[in-house]
Amino acid sequence: MLSRTIEEQYQALAEIEQLIKRESENAASLQRQLEHQERKCAEYRDRKTFFEREANRLANEQSSIINQMENLRKQREECLHQAERWGGAWLSALREASSRPGDQAMQVLDKEFFRRYSSGNDQEATAAQTANPWYTAAYNREREKLFYQALKLHKAFLLASKACLWNFKNLLLLWGYPRDDDKEIVSVSQRDREAAFGSLFNTVFLLTPVLSTTFASAGNMLSSIRRPGEIGCLIVDEAGQAAPQMALGSLYRCRRAIVVGDPKQVEPVVTDELDLIKQVIQNDFTCWYQSKTHSVQGFADRLNPIGTTYREDGKETWVGCPLVVHRRCISPMFELSNILSYNQIMRQQTIPPGPEKEAGFCRESSGWIQVNGSENSTAGRDHFVAEQGRAAWELIRKAFWQTNGIPSLFVITPFTSVRDGMKKMIRSQPEYETDARLQAWIEQSIGTVHTFQGKEADQVIFLLGCDRNSLPAVRWVNTNIVNVAATRAKYRFYVIGDYSVWQNSSLFQRVKEILDRHTCGIFPES
């Protein structure tokens, strides 16, 4: 009985121990939770303190920014007041400058100027294009005086400088002249030549500001200059005729370049050998440069952010810094060029001929001279038409009869066979044997379009040639060729051809229409 009671007591104690252990574990867990909560409370207190400090800082910054905004508002109002005051003074100065009399008169760039510049009125827009803003006659006169004094300074320096004299002599030695006493060319090592040539060459620019050459000769002329940037400024004229690779050597040797040309005139002449080389080396890098129409001018235009876009038959051409004031020729040559090539953005400023000059022209007006006939060759290789040649000869003979000198007259044709046929016909005339003027004129004044780029004459005969057997050749003639031919003529442009043949070209349909409109008096003479 006693042992059972003791066992029951032990069992009760074991249950109490289990309960105490479980409660102890619960107490320990609660203790850990309490400690965790205390740590979180401490963290929240720290955060609260941080946010209170940040709130105070931001409140201070807000107050400072509000004060700054108020100050800036006051400054803005003061600046606007100042701008209004100075704007009034500026407008007054502009009005005063634009109303100055005599050689102090000045064209100012005000709202009225830009209104006229963008005006649809041809006279107003032309006046704005031809203006020279911010310059006066007095200022230009002082510039001329300064330039004259600079020339005198250059002269005095050259005459007084022994170093310049020796540089000129040494440059002549490098160029192979003069020779030594034994009549032998002075020998100079390649190293010395390359070290000295750049400096010697640049000395020449003290004597003359410009040296001219062709790309064909530039390689030989500049071969001793090996370092980049040894030449100051390179001016590339008629850049539309030069293939891009032709300019690389010259551009490498100069510090800056001015590229002048017209992509709407004669395109580069690419030889068969060069064309073959382009095809052989074609790859992913060179494929963009394969076109025969690429030119130095075209590449320079792509680099120029200032310009305009010409559109022709859906094709766009970007042109940098176009000069739109036209002073080369009168109607209808101006309209032929402006309508066919330049989207009618040019402004006419050519002075018309006087009565005395008018009396010396072959015909009263420019126009199409209709002459039928057949080519010399039925195979389509010789495009010369004798009947058209005789019509041209009559105009040439009349031009020589009207002057004692050599007439200002060109005969231009798209085809070498027409050029050769015309020269042969003239040489067969009795006048050719007796008139030295005609012999001198024929060598310089009859040729293809490509040979007359950059030249001009009072009158131009555009001798077309061709018959119905040469329609591919008719369609080959493009706007660039017509543009160059027409703009060589200052006052008269005579197109000799068979329109029943040339009407197969949409271009010459437009040419005929423009010439006929001029004949009807739709275009003014200037």
Side-chain angles (χ1 to χ4, degrees), residues 162-178 185-188 192-193 196-201 203-204:
K162 293 182 179 179
C164 286
L165 177 61
W166 280 110
N167 278 5
F168 294 148
K169 290 182 177 180
N170 288 329
L171 183 61
L172 290 175
L173 290 176
L174 293 183
W175 279 340
Y177 181 89
I185 297 176
V186 176
S187 177
V188 180
D192 290 343
R193 175 184 292 272
F197 191 85
S199 298
L200 299 180
F201 191 73
T203 307
V204 179

Side-chain angles (χ1 to χ4, degrees), residues 326-443:
H326 184 89
R327 293 187 171 92
R328 179 182 286 273
C329 49
I330 62 173
S331 296
M333 294 76 75
F334 171 76
E335 282 75 22
L336 285 169
S337 177
N338 199 24
I339 294 173
L340 299 179
S341 297
Y342 301 113
N343 298 139
Q344 302 192 60
I345 68 169
M346 291 200 300
R347 305 295 177 183
Q348 171 70 288
Q349 281 292 285
T350 308
I351 299 175
E356 184 177 348
K357 184 174 285 291
E358 285 267 8
F361 295 148
C362 299
R363 291 167 64 97
E364 292 184 1
S365 176
S366 301
W368 186 290
I369 301 175
Q370 172 64 27
V371 180
N372 303 327
S374 300
E375 294 182 355
N376 284 345
S377 170
T378 57
R381 294 189 183 133
D382 185 351
H383 301 307
F384 181 68
V385 176
E387 292 82 358
Q388 296 175 11
R390 282 191 286 271
W393 167 240
E394 290 302 319
L395 293 176
I396 296 168
R397 184 159 54 183
K398 184 175 181 180
F400 273 89
W401 178 76
Q402 289 177 327
T403 180
N404 293 325
I406 296 179
S408 180
L409 171 69
F410 291 157
V411 177
I412 302 177
T413 176
F415 309 108
T416 55
S417 58
V418 176
R419 174 201 64 192
D420 296 339
M422 189 70 238
K423 286 185 175 182
K424 182 178 179 180
M425 175 176 283
I426 294 176
R427 291 190 178 108
S428 67
Q429 303 300 319
E431 292 93 331
Y432 181 78
E433 299 296 331
T434 59
D435 194 337
R437 299 177 303 155
L438 187 58
Q439 298 171 12
W441 174 85
I442 194 175
E443 299 302 327

Side-chain angles (χ1 to χ4, degrees), residues 114-185:
F114 287 105
R115 184 200 67 77
R116 290 187 285 110
Y117 183 85
S118 57
S119 169
N121 183 285
D122 187 68
Q123 289 185 343
E124 288 188 344
T126 301
Q129 286 281 0
T130 56
N132 193 6
W134 308 121
Y135 286 88
T136 67
Y139 176 76
N140 283 333
R141 187 164 57 250
E142 295 305 315
R143 290 174 61 199
E144 292 171 356
K145 292 179 181 178
L146 177 62
F147 179 68
Y148 175 68
Q149 295 300 327
L151 291 178
K152 292 176 65 176
L153 176 62
H154 266 72
K155 179 180 178 180
F157 177 78
L158 286 169
L159 293 177
S161 173
K162 293 182 179 179
C164 286
L165 177 61
W166 280 110
N167 278 5
F168 294 148
K169 290 182 177 180
N170 288 329
L171 183 61
L172 290 175
L173 290 176
L174 293 183
W175 279 340
Y177 181 89
R179 300 167 185 262
D180 61 15
D181 294 337
D182 296 327
K183 306 299 182 183
E184 296 292 333
I185 297 176

Side-chain angles (χ1 to χ4, degrees), residues 173-287:
L173 290 176
L174 293 183
W175 279 340
Y177 181 89
R179 300 167 185 262
D180 61 15
D181 294 337
D182 296 327
K183 306 299 182 183
E184 296 292 333
I185 297 176
V186 176
S187 177
V188 180
S189 70
Q190 187 65 24
R191 185 190 65 180
D192 290 343
R193 175 184 292 272
E194 292 177 4
F197 191 85
S199 298
L200 299 180
F201 191 73
N202 279 312
T203 307
V204 179
F205 292 114
L206 290 172
L207 182 64
T208 178
V210 178
L211 293 176
S212 63
T213 185
T214 63
F215 281 132
S217 302
N220 183 53
M221 181 180 184
L222 306 176
S223 61
S224 297
I225 297 180
R226 296 293 183 179
R227 293 185 295 271
E230 286 206 47
I231 301 173
C233 182
L234 172 70
I235 300 176
V236 183
D237 193 18
E238 300 293 357
Q241 293 189 72
Q245 69 276 3
M246 297 176 67
L248 285 178
S250 301
L251 290 172
Y252 171 79
R253 292 168 169 84
C254 72
R255 291 190 290 274
R256 54 190 175 276
I258 300 173
V259 179
V260 183
D262 188 348
K264 290 297 183 179
Q265 295 196 9
V266 174
E267 298 171 340
V269 177
V270 179
T271 62
D272 292 338
E273 293 83 355
L274 182 58
D275 192 31
L276 178 61
I277 291 172
K278 282 187 174 184
Q279 295 177 22
V280 170
I281 66 173
Q282 184 171 358
N283 53 48
D284 292 341
F285 299 101
T286 63
C287 62

